[in-house]
Amino acid sequence: SGWILIGTAAVIFIGASMDARVRALEARTGTEVWSDLVEAPSVAIPAVYTHEGRDYVVFVAGGNPILKPQIGDQVVAYALGN
């Protein structure tokens, strides 16, 4: 998982699920606050970075053919905040 502090809320980004969804969880409660469907399960740790003052989270959605036959080669970035 990866995490970032947005304002006063700590958010955990995770892609470690077999349903090909990437998620953001509120760190204190574990409540899902966002999700999106990607090409294949994201089994890598997401990266969080800042570019020109804006924060982003990036997931690699490649899957794992040992665990599930759904594989891909998608890299997807999401802008965070406003």
Side-chain angles (χ1 to χ4, degrees):
S1 67
W3 68 274
I4 189 169
L5 188 63
I6 300 175
T8 59
V11 178
I12 298 170
F13 291 99
I14 188 164
S17 67
M18 296 311 294
D19 64 359
R21 285 205 167 273
V22 292
R23 294 176 169 81
L25 308 175
E26 202 280 325
R28 187 176 49 82
T29 65
T31 302
E32 183 178 300
V33 294
W34 170 85
S35 73
D36 196 19
L37 188 63
V38 292
E39 190 174 277
S42 177
V43 295
I45 296 171
V48 178
Y49 69 95
T50 302
H51 177 68
E52 295 183 356
R54 185 126 195 221
D55 294 324
Y56 297 85
V57 61
V58 178
F59 294 89
V60 175
N64 182 335
I66 295 171
L67 301 174
K68 187 176 180 180
Q70 183 182 10
I71 58 171
D73 62 359
Q74 184 182 37
V75 177
V76 61
Y78 300 94
L80 305 175
N82 294 333

